[in-house]
Amino acid sequence: QAFLSVTSVLNVAVFRDHFVLEDLVEEMKKQSPALSFGPLQPEGQIAVQGPFPALRVLREFLLLKAKSLSEEDKREGKSHQRPRRKLQEHRGATETRSSVGDAHREKHVLVLDTDIYHYIRYFYPKTFQANDVVISGVTDGDITTVCIESAGRKAGAAHGLRIKKTLENYSVDLQKILRKERLCFEEHSRGEKLRYKRLCERLKPRYPKVLIIPYDTHVDVVGTSTDIVEFTEQVR
């Protein structure tokens, strides 16, 4: 299995009071031609599929648009509901920061493939360690949403942005070289799971760059093509 694309479900209902959602979706398609869009659901959800870099660009576009609307609401006040208006273009969107709690706290959010997220956490643990920064990950199947929140000082904000950029760079680089192989259990007995675990542990020192992710019904092996082919053949 190659890490070439991902499917994510976006909820654009938060823009309903400001934009015609159908217009917003059309602008999203223009903004990200490399992505495939499913039908817009009545509740405001839409499925999007494509490569991670393109999905990140779309997410940044939406986050920046949400931030601009929030700032506009503060200026105009919320004493009355503003009518929905046609979409205005925001080109070159690269900023993903949004205020959280107070003006001195910042939060960055990015979406990673779950296996790549685990790979980075295992082999590059220092990426998730920084003073004045809290990092959390919420996994939903093949997608893990990473939240990087500064503790309120300038140093924390700088660290948070640096971590975000580092994770993005790791993700892009690892997508190019990593592959995944799944070893399914023929029997779901405790004994078979234990045998697989012992075999993987015995082989692991010979393949230091392979990540083993155990589940109840299978084991996922993540690494370079050469490593995982050799590793899985040895296990089998």
Side-chain angles (χ1 to χ4, degrees):
Q1 178 177 346
F3 299 94
L4 298 179
S5 68
V6 65
T7 299
S8 182
V9 178
L10 303 179
N11 189 344
V12 296
V14 293
F15 295 98
R16 196 185 299 274
D17 290 339
H18 302 277
F19 302 122
V20 177
L21 294 187
E22 289 77 6
D23 293 339
L24 176 60
V25 171
E26 289 303 314
E27 180 62 19
M28 289 162 58
K29 292 178 180 178
K30 294 178 182 178
Q31 175 77 16
S32 305
L35 297 174
S36 298
F37 293 80
L40 178 64
Q41 302 299 320
E43 64 273 17
Q45 292 185 339
I46 184 169
V48 184
Q49 184 179 49
F52 277 102
L55 189 62
R56 268 200 304 272
V57 170
L58 177 62
R59 186 179 182 87
E60 291 171 356
F61 166 78
L62 292 174
L63 286 173
L64 183 63
K65 190 170 291 297
K67 181 180 179 180
S68 68
L69 291 175
S70 176
E71 292 173 348
E72 189 173 333
D73 282 340
K74 290 178 182 178
R75 290 194 301 267
E76 296 185 5
K78 297 182 179 179
S79 58
H80 63 279
Q81 182 178 358
R82 295 188 292 114
R84 291 188 297 174
R85 54 185 172 84
K86 290 289 184 177
L87 195 64
Q88 293 180 350
E89 293 187 0
H90 291 263
R91 295 298 185 185
T94 58
E95 185 62 48
T96 62
R97 293 181 296 172
S98 58
S99 296
V100 177
D102 56 62
H104 299 291
R105 297 179 68 88
E106 290 184 349
K107 182 170 72 172
H108 306 274
V109 179
L110 67 155
V111 178
L112 298 177
D113 177 277
T114 295
D115 295 310
I116 288 180
Y117 168 75
H118 286 313
Y119 197 92
I120 296 173
R121 283 203 70 98
Y122 186 84
F123 288 106
Y124 308 98
K126 291 184 178 180
T127 306
F128 296 86
Q129 301 169 5
N131 295 329
D132 302 320
V133 176
V134 177
I135 305 173
S136 59
V138 178
T139 297
D140 182 11
D142 293 335
I143 296 296
T144 295
T145 302
V146 181
C147 177
I148 306 164
E149 187 173 359
S150 70
R153 297 190 301 186
K154 288 185 177 180
H159 287 159
L161 183 58
R162 191 178 305 117
I163 291 170
K164 171 185 170 293
K165 294 296 183 183
T166 300
L167 287 173
E168 288 179 337
N169 292 336
Y170 275 142
S171 177
V172 171
D173 292 340
L174 292 173
Q175 285 173 46
K176 299 175 183 177
I177 63 172
L178 292 183
R179 299 292 182 269
K180 179 173 74 174
E181 184 77 15
R182 177 162 293 177
L183 297 169
C184 295
F185 301 147
E186 294 180 3
E187 305 170 9
H188 294 174
S189 65
R190 181 178 178 183
E192 187 189 26
K193 295 177 187 178
L194 185 59
R195 285 196 300 274
Y196 269 88
K197 181 180 178 181
R198 288 175 176 172
L199 281 171
C200 290
E201 289 176 349
R202 189 182 309 163
L203 291 170
K204 184 69 172 67
R206 293 161 56 181
Y207 302 91
K209 290 299 181 180
V210 165
L211 176 65
I212 302 165
I213 309 176
Y215 295 94
D216 288 338
T217 58
H218 62 274
V219 173
D220 283 342
V221 182
V222 181
T224 63
S225 296
T226 302
D227 280 349
I228 64 169
V229 167
E230 293 180 1
F231 186 93
T232 54
E233 284 182 352
Q234 295 268 359
V235 173
R236 290 187 175 114

